[in-house]
Amino acid sequence: MIGTTRYPHVFSPLDLGFTRLKNRILMGSMHTGLEEAENGYARMAEYFAERARGGVGMIITGGIAPNPEAGVGGKLSTPAEAEQHRTVTRAVHAADADVKIVMQILHTGPLAGTPDCVAPSAVKSRIGRFTPMALDEDGIEKQIADFVNCAVLAQQAGYDGVEIIGSAGYLLSTFLVEKTNLRTDRWGGSWPNRMRFPVEVLRRVREAVGPRFILIFRIAAMDMLDGGLAWDEIVELAQAIEAAGANIISTHFCWHEAPVPTIATMVPRAAFAGVTGQLRKVVGVPVITSNRINMPAVAEAVLARGDADLVSMARPMLADPQIVLKALQGREDEINTCIACNQACLDHTFGGRLQVSCLVNPRACNETLLNYLPTASPKRIAVVGAGPAGLAYATVAAQRGHRVTLIDAGPEIGGQFNLAKRIPGKEEFHETLRYYRRMIELHGITLRLNTRADAALLQAEGFDDVVVATGIAPRTPDLPGINHPKVLSYIDVILGRKPVGQRVAIMGAGGIGFDVAELVTHQGTSAALDIAVFAREWGIDFEGHPRGGVTGVTPQVAKSDRHVTLLQRKADALGKTLGRTTGWTHRLTLNRRGVQMVGGVEYLGIDDAGLHTRVNGEPRLFEVDTVIVCAGQTPLRSLFDDLQKAGVKASLVGGAFEAAELDAKRAIDQASRLAAEV
Ligand code: FAD
Ligand code: NAP
Ligand code: SF4
């Protein structure tokens, strides 16, 4: 197999003594919400089985609670619940008997979101909903017994092992850290006492499940807390965990409440693997690394450097269930790469309302509901517009056997993704375009670039179906002076077509307004491409290992030479519409660069003096050289209207269908679903 030579480290098996992992890539734990969904375990079974067929060595399930107070959707504390889990383990082992499936036991402690949540002390987390109840001695014993019961039931349900999560601000980790453990009994105070609970949980689970069951402990190798764990403590904990019977130590970075991004798209690939490498030197069991490892070559480099024994890919497995198989078969250019946007995965998890899926792969977590089956009656289909909506439609339809012609007015595919990819921190968007370029070749889609389609052209060619994916037009507010030379569209600015002055006002603070502010205040190398720059900008010391990795380190973000003001009409705080798990990073970065944010603005006009406004009723002039308009978008439907008039049947997708609240997630999802039906 090609992959065994191109990725020799990835494809070398790992011997655990009593069992063997067939390669070094595992699917990391992610909460998907399937546990709570209708028919959830059957859906989960197919979701994991598809990844097992896709070549991964080991799968770790989303977190499963050992008791009700642990506060997770899925639970395993009774034999009846074990029966549900058996659906999952059977499906994975039937898909590939060589793939291991390990259940994560997750007790969220003070983050449980229920009033009866528990913790070592009654300390409310910055991101928790309730102040937890402090456990007494009996309560602690009960929690340990519940972990043991859960692990034993997991073994009976056919899992190959369990992972116990001891990081992220969840129960076990709150025993470790002084600010969340205020106890003075044998479970708190000194470091050996604070370490006791996680070690005891692990020791007793090992005792109960015997030696031939994979036991993984997830440790915060850097908790990113000011005053968090010292490196010596992390090392001691890892060694104690090994002595208590763990087969594998998995490294995790950051508590959820820490203000440092660790998985967003602006984080460099494999940024944290070096920390795992340092821990690997002081323990005898294999270690797992994770975070922003989204392509096989990155995994191979991490393993070859000796930074880890195993690489965890979580979101990349949502984006492409076959990522490992494609690496093995030398089909890397067919990998649908995770762009770390969080838009359909973590934003949905933490939003609590929507089913987790993936922006680039709407089938993720919908494996039983959305399938791209071969068509019995192939059609000739024209897709006009090669933005995300048109690309997704064309790919799915062609994969199903339709004959697709994809037409775009521009010189390259991608639509607005060609703007997005130019924003520092969004470099991963290039991967999506590479994927679609390959899909066009692979599925024999006829691509016509530099071709503006009109009704006459489409009618003349007599297609069976026409899909209009022509996207949007930027909205131009109707304002005195809107045609003044100092007014630029975001497209001109992003493409570098027009010079931007030193004093800038940005009208509109949606996703594009924020991205443009990032672009015009950015200096030097993108932090996403350089771990040292990233560490400097977020105040992380990867070498010196201060407490938490961050104590005493001040983030150093260069103030921008430009004076930039970001404006919106709404009186709300700016950036509220940005991604739930990533918006704060953009707000913080722009604040650190000195960008002013002003809400409650009424735009009055633009002239040589600048942008005239009323802010909360008071007149205010922004004396600027450049006004950049990022005021939303309207659907571009003239082609569709012309087709209607000409009596040609056509359907609309993406921005052309609806521009309000459009993003690539909706565009790709809508287009894929329509193409699955045609
Ligand atoms: P478009 O991408 O607009 O594509 C339409 C295509 O149709 C274009 O290529 C155009 O040339 C072509 N076309 C139009 N008329 C014709 C014609 N008559 N004949 C032939 N071709 C025609 N979304 C996210 O989800 N996450 C992000 O992080 C994100 N970041 C962004 C950053 C920036 C700077 C920008 C500008 C957008 C960003 N978006 C993001 C939004 C996302 O790119 C859009 O939602 C998405 O591109 C919409 O897809 P679409 O296919 O409907 O339209
Ligand atoms: P948007 O998020 O809808 O924001 C448009 C902005 O323009 C708002 O601040 C709005 O706020 C303002 N506005 C609306 N009408 C206006 C008018 N007539 N005059 C002046 N201002 C007006 O749209 P967008 O920024 O253009 O982004 C387009 C889509 O791409 C969005 O759906 C977004 O989700 C997606 N995107 C996502 C990301 C991401 O990182 N996830 C990044 C970029 C883009 P007020 O009405 O309060 O002024
Ligand atoms: Fe990756 Fe975005 Fe898909 Fe989540 S939604 S798996 S971050 S591409």
Side-chain angles (χ1 to χ4, degrees):
M1 282 289 176
I2 296 161
T4 50
T5 49
R6 201 174 289 170
Y7 307 107
H9 294 85
V10 165
F11 290 105
S12 81
L14 179 69
D15 190 357
L16 292 175
F18 62 94
T19 190
R20 195 184 85 124
L21 305 184
K22 67 174 182 174
N23 62 46
R24 304 301 181 104
I25 296 193
L26 62 112
M27 177 175 177
S29 175
M30 279 175 290
H31 183 77
T32 59
L34 288 176
E35 302 83 358
E36 301 110 271
E38 195 186 331
N39 209 15
Y41 279 83
R43 286 176 64 184
M44 209 194 303
E46 188 46 34
Y47 157 70
F48 285 130
E50 191 160 317
R51 272 83 195 158
R53 287 191 290 273
V56 69
M58 176 164 69
I59 291 171
I60 305 192
T61 68
I64 299 292
N67 55 30
E69 60 270 29
V72 193
K75 183 163 80 58
L76 179 53
S77 63
T78 65
E81 285 162 349
E83 214 30 66
Q84 290 182 312
H85 285 264
R86 209 162 272 133
T87 323
V88 173
T89 56
R90 271 200 209 110
V92 168
H93 291 141
D96 184 338
D98 263 354
V99 175
K100 308 295 170 211
I101 176 144
V102 168
M103 191 193 84
Q104 186 187 75
I105 307 180
L106 169 60
H107 192 314
T108 60
L111 301 182
T114 72
D116 57 353
C117 59
V118 296
S121 305
V123 179
K124 186 176 171 301
S125 160
R126 187 173 67 78
I127 56 168
R129 282 180 61 203
F130 300 98
T131 301
M133 287 182 290
L135 289 161
D136 59 14
E137 180 75 26
D138 287 349
I140 288 181
E141 283 300 330
K142 176 195 176 290
Q143 296 302 324
I144 297 176
D146 289 348
F147 270 93
V148 171
N149 176 51
C150 183
V152 169
L153 286 169
Q155 194 173 30
Q156 289 166 6
Y159 286 107
D160 299 291
V162 291
E163 174 177 87
I164 293 173
I165 180 157
S167 52
Y170 297 138
L171 182 67
L172 270 61
S173 56
T174 54
F175 274 85
L176 297 168
V177 172
E178 273 177 325
K179 70 171 187 156
T180 48
N181 184 346
L182 311 176
R183 305 176 76 95
T184 51
D185 59 3
R186 68 193 188 104
W187 304 102
S190 67
W191 169 241
N193 280 357
R194 281 184 279 130
M195 207 168 69
R196 189 182 310 280
F197 182 74
V199 175
E200 199 54 21
V201 167
L202 203 94
R203 193 184 65 74
R204 291 208 220 159
V205 166
R206 171 56 80 203
E207 213 170 71
V209 296
R212 299 177 68 80
F213 191 59
I214 301 171
L215 192 45
I216 306 174
F217 186 85
R218 198 145 202 223
I219 192 171
M222 225 178 204
D223 54 34
M224 307 286 176
L225 298 174
D226 201 11
L229 292 193
W231 182 247
D232 290 353
E233 292 170 342
I234 294 164
V235 169
E236 267 186 53
L237 175 65
Q239 291 171 344
I241 289 295
E242 178 181 350
N247 304 103
I248 300 174
I249 290 177
S250 177
T251 49
H252 205 191
F253 308 94
C254 205
W255 278 28
H256 289 316
E257 66 183 70
V260 179
T262 52
I263 57 168
T265 192
M266 89 256 281
V267 177
R269 290 175 170 189
F272 294 88
V275 184
T276 310
Q278 292 168 36
L279 198 67
R280 183 170 180 252
K281 293 193 184 115
V282 297
V283 292
V285 290
V287 293
I288 302 174
T289 196
S290 64
N291 289 43
R292 290 285 287 117
I293 300 174
N294 62 348
M295 287 297 274
V298 186
E300 178 64 20
V302 165
L303 294 167
R305 274 200 306 274
D307 278 347
D309 301 279
L310 290 157
V311 169
S312 167
M313 291 186 173
R315 296 171 300 166
M317 296 276 167
L318 289 180
D320 195 331
Q322 294 196 334
I323 181 169
V324 180
L325 191 63
K326 287 177 181 175
L328 187 66
Q329 296 173 345
R331 297 190 288 133
E332 301 82 346
D333 54 356
E334 294 174 31
I335 291 173
N336 198 0
T337 305
C338 166
I339 58 173
C341 64
N342 286 359
Q343 286 176 241
C345 54
L346 284 165
D347 285 350
H348 286 199
T349 305
F350 288 103
R353 282 186 309 114
L354 299 170
Q355 170 62 56
V356 165
S357 186
C358 172
L359 179 141
V360 299
N361 173 25
R363 284 197 66 249
C365 300
N366 290 312
E367 288 74 11
T368 57
L369 306 175
L370 177 60
N371 278 298
Y372 308 145
L373 303 173
T375 176
S377 45
K379 291 181 170 184
R380 282 185 64 234
I381 302 175
V383 178
V384 184
L391 289 166
Y393 191 100
T395 299
V396 172
Q399 180 185 334
R400 294 188 50 227
H402 294 293
R403 278 176 290 147
V404 179
T405 301
L406 178 61
I407 306 170
D408 201 286
E412 57 184 337
I413 64 160
Q416 291 176 68
F417 263 32
N418 289 314
L419 300 175
K421 74 186 184 190
R422 291 167 186 259
I423 306 297
K426 288 198 165 174
E427 293 79 0
E428 291 287 0
F429 283 58
H430 284 278
E431 293 286 5
T432 305
L433 298 176
R434 181 265 307 145
Y435 166 76
Y436 279 121
R437 275 194 291 273
R438 180 68 186 123
M439 290 302 110
I440 288 168
E441 281 171 14
L442 191 69
H443 299 302
I445 296 168
T446 305
L447 178 64
R448 290 196 211 154
L449 294 173
N450 300 307
T451 308
R452 183 162 292 279
D454 56 25
L457 179 146
L458 295 166
Q459 206 169 15
E461 298 207 21
F463 291 101
D464 299 321
D465 266 344
V466 176
V467 178
V468 178
T470 45
I472 51 84
R475 178 183 288 122
T476 307
D478 183 12
L479 207 61
I482 195 71
N483 294 320
H484 192 282
K486 67 171 62 175
V487 180
L488 304 182
S489 82
Y490 66 81
I491 298 177
D492 286 339
V493 172
I494 297 173
L495 294 179
R497 286 180 188 152
K498 305 247 172 90
V500 175
Q502 285 303 105
R503 299 170 307 161
V504 178
I506 300 175
M507 281 176 66
I512 293 178
F514 267 81
D515 275 355
V516 166
E518 161 67 37
L519 182 72
V520 299
T521 57
H522 184 87
Q523 292 174 352
T525 312
S526 169
L529 302 178
D530 187 325
I531 295 176
V533 174
F534 168 73
R536 221 171 30 241
E537 290 196 352
W538 290 97
I540 307 168
D541 183 347
F542 282 119
E543 273 83 39
H545 287 300
R547 281 194 173 274
V550 293
T551 303
V553 191
T554 310
Q556 289 172 22
V557 180
K559 286 249 184 269
S560 170
D561 292 344
R562 288 203 170 99
H563 186 273
V564 175
T565 311
L566 192 52
L567 307 161
Q568 72 177 17
R569 297 174 304 174
K570 287 185 284 292
D572 304 356
L574 274 75
K576 272 198 153 177
T577 55
L578 301 179
R580 200 180 167 96
T581 60
T582 52
W584 63 272
T585 59
H586 300 299
R587 285 191 294 271
L588 200 54
T589 302
L590 294 185
N591 273 325
R592 286 175 179 164
R593 291 208 189 132
V595 173
Q596 305 280 311
M597 302 201 187
V598 183
V601 179
E602 183 189 348
Y603 305 113
L604 300 176
I606 299 147
D607 61 18
D608 289 347
L611 173 62
H612 297 265
T613 70
R614 258 194 294 269
V615 178
N616 299 321
E618 293 292 316
R620 185 160 164 194
L621 168 65
F622 292 90
E623 293 178 26
V624 293
D625 319 305
T626 304
V627 175
I628 307 174
V629 180
C630 303
Q633 308 168 329
T634 52
L636 200 58
R637 284 207 197 128
S638 51
L639 173 64
F640 181 75
D641 295 341
D642 291 347
L643 288 168
Q644 299 280 86
K645 280 183 214 139
V648 178
K649 197 167 100 348
S651 44
L652 284 164
V653 286
F657 175 79
E658 171 69 276
E661 294 179 17
L662 167 75
D663 59 11
K665 176 179 74 172
R666 201 187 78 201
I668 292 175
D669 183 85
Q670 184 199 24
S672 304
R673 285 174 193 277
L674 277 174
E677 297 290 320
V678 66

